[in-house]
Amino acid sequence: PELTFAIYGKSADWDFQSYAEKTQGFSVLYGADLSSQLSFETELFFHRDELDNLSSGVSPLIAADAGRSDVLGAGIDLSWSNRSGSGLLDKGTKLSFGIAATVSGTGNRGWHRFSAMLDSTHGFVGESVVNFSLGTGVIRGQGSNGYVNILDRAFSGDGAPRGFAWGGAGPVAPGTDEALGGTRYLSGSVEVRTPLARDGLSAGLFFDAGSVWDLPGVTGVDDDMYMRASAGIAVHWQTRFGRLEAAYAAVSYTHLR
């Protein structure tokens, strides 16, 4: 069993966003192994967020969520894995499910969320491996119309598809093309990876697909499911501090109703 306490804070004011975000919070996590392959982790979290410094031309759909708001909630994740290690070339499969909900919130911050993820790596040719991944999730507001604050929405499907701008996998505000995020996402990827001469380095050929959609309680926005896809090459560097990746991708769009 492992008990972890975390205090965190972040501030973001990117040129491609018409607003700034600030977050301060803490979390308490408790996790344990149920068997050699099955584990769980629970989390109690609180954070205070602020959406401010709005540009003069910001969409009213974003300005509606401006200001300070608080969130208190809890969640649990259940994971099964038979992977031989944590590296990108290590073979095996990992399957995880997560649920979370707020028990208190201000500024339309009440929500409940479900997510699932599958990641599987198998031998291919020589030392090469092929990786398959699939992820999905949904978040719903606790109000009568299901509205979710922009600070709580999904903006990409577990990082896929690669090659798109931030928020490019989901709905945008009419007239300004600002990313609005969504309450549902689906993503998938297939990648063939080959080790390079230096330890921790590998190269890959990939095909990604994904979409973010659905904005309950928001009118005047095309929030249908548009599947985005990309194909390209990537270089991965697995360090003791985490993974670094550089990728080049060609992108395409498909509209699904």
Side-chain angles (χ1 to χ4, degrees):
E2 185 175 279
L3 182 64
T4 305
F5 299 88
I7 299 175
Y8 53 88
K10 67 177 182 179
S11 178
D13 191 2
W14 299 99
D15 290 341
F16 58 79
Q17 286 182 313
S18 54
Y19 54 91
E21 296 179 61
K22 297 178 183 178
T23 297
Q24 296 175 323
F26 71 88
S27 62
V28 181
L29 300 98
Y30 175 79
D33 293 332
L34 300 174
S35 70
S36 60
Q37 297 179 334
L38 189 65
S39 63
F40 78 92
E41 183 177 73
T42 59
E43 179 184 16
L44 176 66
F45 57 86
F46 169 83
H47 50 92
R48 171 165 292 174
D49 305 296
E50 193 166 352
L51 192 155
D52 60 8
N53 196 24
L54 276 64
S55 67
S56 59
V58 66
S59 168
L61 298 175
I62 295 175
D65 290 329
R68 177 179 294 180
S69 55
D70 300 331
V71 173
L72 174 66
I76 183 169
D77 292 296
L78 184 66
S79 298
W80 177 91
S81 176
N82 65 358
R83 298 195 65 167
S84 56
S86 59
L88 288 171
L89 301 175
D90 292 322
K91 301 178 184 68
T93 299
K94 181 178 180 180
L95 179 65
S96 63
F97 299 93
I99 57 173
T102 60
V103 295
S104 177
T106 61
N108 290 318
R109 301 298 300 277
W111 50 260
H112 48 270
R113 180 178 64 213
F114 168 81
S115 61
M117 186 274 293
L118 171 69
D119 188 276
S120 189
T121 303
H122 306 271
F124 189 57
V125 176
E127 296 183 347
S128 299
V129 298
V130 58
N131 173 263
F132 304 92
S133 64
L134 181 67
T136 187
V138 60
I139 180 170
R140 274 292 177 265
Q142 295 174 356
S144 59
N145 63 357
Y147 182 83
V148 175
N149 190 292
I150 192 171
L151 295 172
D152 301 312
R153 298 173 195 161
F155 281 84
S156 67
D158 292 329
R162 284 166 281 190
F164 285 83
W166 180 85
V172 296
T176 65
D177 287 338
E178 297 164 288
L180 297 176
T183 62
R184 297 177 184 266
Y185 71 86
L186 176 68
S187 66
S189 180
V190 179
E191 183 170 354
V192 176
R193 298 171 181 156
T194 301
L196 299 178
R198 180 170 176 173
D199 287 346
L201 279 177
S202 61
L205 298 175
F206 64 84
F207 175 80
D208 291 349
S211 182
V212 176
W213 73 100
D214 195 21
L215 285 171
V218 178
T219 59
V221 173
D222 183 358
D223 60 350
D224 285 350
M225 180 184 184
Y226 289 79
M227 187 61 70
R228 277 76 168 178
S230 65
I233 58 176
V235 176
H236 308 278
W237 184 20
Q238 188 77 45
T239 74
R240 58 182 177 177
F241 304 107
R243 187 184 83 182
L244 300 176
E245 176 184 326
Y248 175 81
V251 304
S252 65
Y253 299 78
T254 303
H255 187 190
L256 298 182
R257 288 189 182 275

mmCIF file of all heavy atoms in Angstrom, residues 18-38:
data_model
loop_
_atom_site.group_PDB
_atom_site.id
_atom_site.type_symbol
_atom_site.label_atom_id
_atom_site.label_comp_id
_atom_site.label_asym_id
_atom_site.label_seq_id
_atom_site.Cartn_x
_atom_site.Cartn_y
_atom_site.Cartn_z
ATOM 1 N N SER A 18 -7.354 32.684 -25.627
ATOM 2 C CA SER A 18 -7.827 34.049 -25.398
ATOM 3 C C SER A 18 -8.082 34.318 -23.923
ATOM 4 O O SER A 18 -8.769 35.275 -23.571
ATOM 5 C CB SER A 18 -9.119 34.286 -26.196
ATOM 6 O OG SER A 18 -10.081 33.297 -25.879
ATOM 7 N N TYR A 19 -7.519 33.507 -23.059
ATOM 8 C CA TYR A 19 -7.706 33.667 -21.620
ATOM 9 C C TYR A 19 -6.520 33.030 -20.904
ATOM 10 O O TYR A 19 -5.730 32.279 -21.492
ATOM 11 C CB TYR A 19 -9.011 33.013 -21.153
ATOM 12 C CG TYR A 19 -9.138 31.553 -21.544
ATOM 13 C CD1 TYR A 19 -8.689 30.538 -20.710
ATOM 14 C CD2 TYR A 19 -9.705 31.194 -22.763
ATOM 15 C CE1 TYR A 19 -8.796 29.204 -21.074
ATOM 16 C CE2 TYR A 19 -9.826 29.864 -23.129
ATOM 17 C CZ TYR A 19 -9.364 28.878 -22.274
ATOM 18 O OH TYR A 19 -9.480 27.555 -22.648
ATOM 19 N N ALA A 20 -6.400 33.316 -19.616
ATOM 20 C CA ALA A 20 -5.356 32.728 -18.773
ATOM 21 C C ALA A 20 -6.009 31.837 -17.727
ATOM 22 O O ALA A 20 -7.155 32.061 -17.325
ATOM 23 C CB ALA A 20 -4.539 33.825 -18.101
ATOM 24 N N GLU A 21 -5.262 30.821 -17.282
ATOM 25 C CA GLU A 21 -5.749 29.892 -16.264
ATOM 26 C C GLU A 21 -4.760 29.829 -15.108
ATOM 27 O O GLU A 21 -3.548 29.813 -15.316
ATOM 28 C CB GLU A 21 -5.904 28.481 -16.832
ATOM 29 C CG GLU A 21 -6.940 28.330 -17.916
ATOM 30 C CD GLU A 21 -6.990 26.893 -18.428
ATOM 31 O OE1 GLU A 21 -7.281 25.989 -17.622
ATOM 32 O OE2 GLU A 21 -6.698 26.684 -19.613
ATOM 33 N N LYS A 22 -5.289 29.752 -13.905
ATOM 34 C CA LYS A 22 -4.480 29.549 -12.707
ATOM 35 C C LYS A 22 -5.139 28.466 -11.856
ATOM 36 O O LYS A 22 -6.364 28.439 -11.713
ATOM 37 C CB LYS A 22 -4.357 30.843 -11.900
ATOM 38 C CG LYS A 22 -3.646 31.976 -12.618
ATOM 39 C CD LYS A 22 -3.621 33.235 -11.761
ATOM 40 C CE LYS A 22 -2.973 34.390 -12.518
ATOM 41 N NZ LYS A 22 -2.987 35.639 -11.714
ATOM 42 N N THR A 23 -4.321 27.585 -11.293
ATOM 43 C CA THR A 23 -4.837 26.494 -10.470
ATOM 44 C C THR A 23 -3.941 26.307 -9.256
ATOM 45 O O THR A 23 -2.713 26.314 -9.374
ATOM 46 C CB THR A 23 -4.895 25.174 -11.259
ATOM 47 O OG1 THR A 23 -5.803 25.299 -12.347
ATOM 48 C CG2 THR A 23 -5.358 24.027 -10.369
ATOM 49 N N GLN A 24 -4.549 26.126 -8.100
ATOM 50 C CA GLN A 24 -3.860 25.743 -6.873
ATOM 51 C C GLN A 24 -4.685 24.659 -6.204
ATOM 52 O O GLN A 24 -5.917 24.746 -6.169
ATOM 53 C CB GLN A 24 -3.700 26.936 -5.925
ATOM 54 C CG GLN A 24 -2.824 28.057 -6.465
ATOM 55 C CD GLN A 24 -2.793 29.246 -5.538
ATOM 56 O OE1 GLN A 24 -3.801 29.581 -4.913
ATOM 57 N NE2 GLN A 24 -1.641 29.882 -5.434
ATOM 58 N N GLY A 25 -4.022 23.629 -5.692
ATOM 59 C CA GLY A 25 -4.788 22.570 -5.074
ATOM 60 C C GLY A 25 -3.935 21.552 -4.355
ATOM 61 O O GLY A 25 -2.712 21.680 -4.256
ATOM 62 N N PHE A 26 -4.596 20.518 -3.841
ATOM 63 C CA PHE A 26 -3.902 19.413 -3.183
ATOM 64 C C PHE A 26 -4.679 18.131 -3.453
ATOM 65 O O PHE A 26 -5.872 18.143 -3.802
ATOM 66 C CB PHE A 26 -3.766 19.648 -1.671
ATOM 67 C CG PHE A 26 -5.064 19.529 -0.913
ATOM 68 C CD1 PHE A 26 -5.511 18.306 -0.426
ATOM 69 C CD2 PHE A 26 -5.850 20.649 -0.674
ATOM 70 C CE1 PHE A 26 -6.708 18.192 0.273
ATOM 71 C CE2 PHE A 26 -7.046 20.550 0.021
ATOM 72 C CZ PHE A 26 -7.477 19.313 0.500
ATOM 73 N N SER A 27 -4.003 17.020 -3.302
ATOM 74 C CA SER A 27 -4.644 15.719 -3.455
ATOM 75 C C SER A 27 -4.032 14.732 -2.477
ATOM 76 O O SER A 27 -2.866 14.845 -2.096
ATOM 77 C CB SER A 27 -4.508 15.192 -4.890
ATOM 78 O OG SER A 27 -3.149 15.013 -5.234
ATOM 79 N N VAL A 28 -4.841 13.768 -2.084
ATOM 80 C CA VAL A 28 -4.411 12.665 -1.227
ATOM 81 C C VAL A 28 -4.722 11.377 -1.978
ATOM 82 O O VAL A 28 -5.878 11.137 -2.358
ATOM 83 C CB VAL A 28 -5.140 12.673 0.130
ATOM 84 C CG1 VAL A 28 -4.648 11.524 1.005
ATOM 85 C CG2 VAL A 28 -4.946 14.006 0.835
ATOM 86 N N LEU A 29 -3.700 10.563 -2.230
ATOM 87 C CA LEU A 29 -3.865 9.339 -2.996
ATOM 88 C C LEU A 29 -3.480 8.128 -2.160
ATOM 89 O O LEU A 29 -2.470 8.149 -1.444
ATOM 90 C CB LEU A 29 -3.008 9.359 -4.267
ATOM 91 C CG LEU A 29 -3.285 10.483 -5.266
ATOM 92 C CD1 LEU A 29 -2.275 11.609 -5.048
ATOM 93 C CD2 LEU A 29 -3.194 9.991 -6.697
ATOM 94 N N TYR A 30 -4.280 7.070 -2.270
ATOM 95 C CA TYR A 30 -3.973 5.809 -1.603
ATOM 96 C C TYR A 30 -4.127 4.690 -2.619
ATOM 97 O O TYR A 30 -5.174 4.559 -3.254
ATOM 98 C CB TYR A 30 -4.906 5.560 -0.425
ATOM 99 C CG TYR A 30 -4.685 4.198 0.213
ATOM 100 C CD1 TYR A 30 -3.619 3.986 1.080
ATOM 101 C CD2 TYR A 30 -5.529 3.129 -0.084
ATOM 102 C CE1 TYR A 30 -3.406 2.749 1.648
ATOM 103 C CE2 TYR A 30 -5.318 1.883 0.485
ATOM 104 C CZ TYR A 30 -4.251 1.697 1.347
ATOM 105 O OH TYR A 30 -4.042 0.460 1.903
ATOM 106 N N GLY A 31 -3.073 3.897 -2.797
ATOM 107 C CA GLY A 31 -3.113 2.809 -3.764
ATOM 108 C C GLY A 31 -2.524 1.545 -3.198
ATOM 109 O O GLY A 31 -1.715 1.574 -2.261
ATOM 110 N N ALA A 32 -2.930 0.405 -3.768
ATOM 111 C CA ALA A 32 -2.427 -0.885 -3.304
ATOM 112 C C ALA A 32 -2.612 -1.926 -4.399
ATOM 113 O O ALA A 32 -3.455 -1.763 -5.298
ATOM 114 C CB ALA A 32 -3.144 -1.317 -2.028
ATOM 115 N N ASP A 33 -1.817 -2.990 -4.326
ATOM 116 C CA ASP A 33 -1.953 -4.124 -5.234
ATOM 117 C C ASP A 33 -2.969 -5.104 -4.673
ATOM 118 O O ASP A 33 -2.906 -5.477 -3.492
ATOM 119 C CB ASP A 33 -0.605 -4.832 -5.414
ATOM 120 C CG ASP A 33 0.415 -3.973 -6.140
ATOM 121 O OD1 ASP A 33 -0.013 -3.115 -6.938
ATOM 122 O OD2 ASP A 33 1.625 -4.158 -5.894
ATOM 123 N N LEU A 34 -3.905 -5.521 -5.517
ATOM 124 C CA LEU A 34 -4.869 -6.543 -5.137
ATOM 125 C C LEU A 34 -4.362 -7.933 -5.485
ATOM 126 O O LEU A 34 -4.794 -8.924 -4.903
ATOM 127 C CB LEU A 34 -6.201 -6.281 -5.835
ATOM 128 C CG LEU A 34 -6.862 -4.936 -5.515
ATOM 129 C CD1 LEU A 34 -8.105 -4.733 -6.367
ATOM 130 C CD2 LEU A 34 -7.214 -4.856 -4.024
ATOM 131 N N SER A 35 -3.476 -7.991 -6.472
ATOM 132 C CA SER A 35 -2.814 -9.229 -6.875
ATOM 133 C C SER A 35 -1.551 -8.833 -7.631
ATOM 134 O O SER A 35 -1.202 -7.645 -7.699
ATOM 135 C CB SER A 35 -3.734 -10.084 -7.753
ATOM 136 O OG SER A 35 -3.924 -9.473 -9.026
ATOM 137 N N SER A 36 -0.851 -9.794 -8.224
ATOM 138 C CA SER A 36 0.374 -9.488 -8.954
ATOM 139 C C SER A 36 0.112 -8.655 -10.204
ATOM 140 O O SER A 36 1.019 -7.996 -10.714
ATOM 141 C CB SER A 36 1.082 -10.786 -9.342
ATOM 142 O OG SER A 36 0.240 -11.582 -10.172
ATOM 143 N N GLN A 37 -1.128 -8.649 -10.705
ATOM 144 C CA GLN A 37 -1.450 -7.922 -11.932
ATOM 145 C C GLN A 37 -2.548 -6.875 -11.765
ATOM 146 O O GLN A 37 -2.768 -6.077 -12.659
ATOM 147 C CB GLN A 37 -1.863 -8.904 -13.028
ATOM 148 C CG GLN A 37 -0.757 -9.879 -13.426
ATOM 149 C CD GLN A 37 -1.195 -10.862 -14.489
ATOM 150 O OE1 GLN A 37 -2.387 -11.174 -14.611
ATOM 151 N NE2 GLN A 37 -0.255 -11.359 -15.273
ATOM 152 N N LEU A 38 -3.225 -6.890 -10.635
ATOM 153 C CA LEU A 38 -4.375 -6.008 -10.414
ATOM 154 C C LEU A 38 -4.078 -5.037 -9.287
ATOM 155 O O LEU A 38 -3.574 -5.428 -8.225
ATOM 156 C CB LEU A 38 -5.610 -6.842 -10.075
ATOM 157 C CG LEU A 38 -6.959 -6.114 -10.020
ATOM 158 C CD1 LEU A 38 -7.342 -5.570 -11.393
ATOM 159 C CD2 LEU A 38 -8.037 -7.068 -9.511
#
